[in-house]
Amino acid sequence: MILVTGGAGFIGSNFVLDWLDGTGEPLVNLDKLTYAGNPRTLERLAGDPRYTLVRGDIGDRTLVARLLAEHRPRAVVNFAAESHVDRSISGPDDFILTNVVGTFHLLEEVRRHHDQLAGDERDAFRFVHISTDEVYGSLGIDDPAFTERTQYAPNSPYSASKASSDHLVRAYHHTYGLPTLTSNCSNNYGPRQFPEKLVPLMIHNALAGKNLPVYGDGRNVRDWVFVGDHCDAIRAILAQGIPGETYNVGGNAERANIDVVHRICDLLAELAPGRDYRSLVTFVKDRPGHDRRYAIDGSKIAAELSWRPRESFESGLRKTVEWYLANQDWVASVTSGAYKNWISRNYSARSAA
Ligand code: NAD
Ligand code: DAU
């Protein structure tokens, strides 16, 4: 079995569902269930004996040690993090606590666990750390894409906290021989993303007839990867990656924000007609320290692990808009106060199946 952290969030929940559908291998999900983690997203796994949800913090060493001793996972896949750049600007504390200190505590307990393993169990063990391309900083419009050798230059409290965690992961491999693997991935989009990030926020606001706030001149560029493709890359890294290595993951889909927003408007005009969605676009004050461009050179993972994204931006975005249109109740539940009440009713104890 494997232990996943942060599996109730956007990428983690897609990974958990794909994992159980595809491999059938049991999985324990350790998640703090912050505003971004929603057990309702994984409701269809209720009663599935292969799946266990434990509400808790990666920084709770007693809990992590107990889970490792009890379940003896063959791998830990660490998604748990504070992930939203804007929130890191207005309140960086939780980013340092979870992304830096939490990852450190998790690594310490995993190291202790790994030290006690022997033989095949020890050889097979892996720690996969899910990181971001934002650790590399910002590119100029004509700069070559990020490779695994690009120097780290994080610009936001979020990316600085992720960079710190990446360095700790690297050090635990180098110093203690912990078999770690790190992925540095570009912007994900797809089903089950909390409507604070660009793609789901624009869909959510457009359907409600609210303004679509585009920061600055809207010409900042991101490299978009469909979440299912990212999950596939993580499985490839876990299965075939070389311990100590890092792998860049991208979608070969650089787009300016304004073009992404216009494409969402056009898809909505086709799939949910009745409003001039493009007229809702509103240019607003820029994000402080806003990185201009990210782009991934994915040649290493393509050459070494034969992984390439399957979804084009056009096909993936259509699937995403269709999912949000069909799952408006999910959006309502994760954005409402009723969700928080439900959490405290159902998860007042630390651990729940
Ligand atoms: P998310 O914010 O949707 O989910 C994060 C999850 O972690 C939530 O379920 C939350 O409850 C949980 N969590 C937070 N603090 C925790 C703690 N202390 N202990 C246990 N659980 C905790 O994030 P996401 O977008 O799914 O991102 C997952 C990972 O992938 C993050 O590490 C992020 O840095 C990385 N990443 C994200 C993207 C992207 O575009 N979203 C791209 C590249 C890398
Ligand atoms: O590159 C990977 C990273 O992508 C991940 O590590 C982060 O967890 C994830 O949040 C994402 O970071 P970004 O800051 O790029 O994502 P966000 O969706 O917040 O913003 C995407 C772009 O859109 C960015 O240039 C800012 C802009 N934007 C965002 C929002 C929320 C707007 O113009 N308006 C908005 O309302």
Side-chain angles (χ1 to χ4, degrees), residues 32 34 57-59 78-85 88 91-107 127 129-132 135 156-169:
K32 191 175 174 182
T34 68
D57 195 315
I58 55 167
N78 182 32
F79 293 93
E82 289 293 333
S83 68
H84 190 35
V85 173
S88 84
D93 304 51
D94 284 345
F95 289 74
I96 304 306
L97 287 174
T98 284
N99 302 0
V100 185
V101 182
T103 306
F104 161 70
H105 287 309
L106 178 66
L107 280 167
F127 180 91
H129 179 61
I130 310 304
S131 191
T132 169
V135 296
S156 71
Y158 163 69
S159 53
S161 69
K162 291 296 291 186
S164 307
S165 66
D166 294 5
H167 290 322
L168 285 168
V169 170

Side-chain angles (χ1 to χ4, degrees), residues 250-261:
N252 294 330
E254 284 188 60
R255 296 286 185 282
N257 293 337
I258 187 64
D259 297 335
V260 172
V261 175

Side-chain angles (χ1 to χ4, degrees), residues 313-330:
F313 184 65
E314 284 62 36
S315 63
L317 195 63
R318 178 175 288 274
K319 282 186 186 167
T320 305
V321 172
E322 284 170 349
W323 187 88
Y324 277 91
L325 287 172
N327 290 278
Q328 284 295 295
D329 54 336
W330 180 87

Side-chain angles (χ1 to χ4, degrees), residues 4-18 36 79 83 130-131 158 185-189 191-194 197 225-228 230-232 234:
V4 164
T5 72
F10 165 47
I11 305 173
S13 63
N14 279 281
F15 181 85
V16 167
L17 291 169
D18 289 356
F79 293 93
S83 68
I130 310 304
S131 191
Y158 163 69
C185 186
S186 62
N187 285 61
N188 284 220
Y189 67 98
R192 307 177 190 89
Q193 187 169 29
F194 191 81
K197 310 277 167 64
V225 65
F226 189 66
V227 65
H230 183 194
C231 293
D232 191 37
I234 295 166

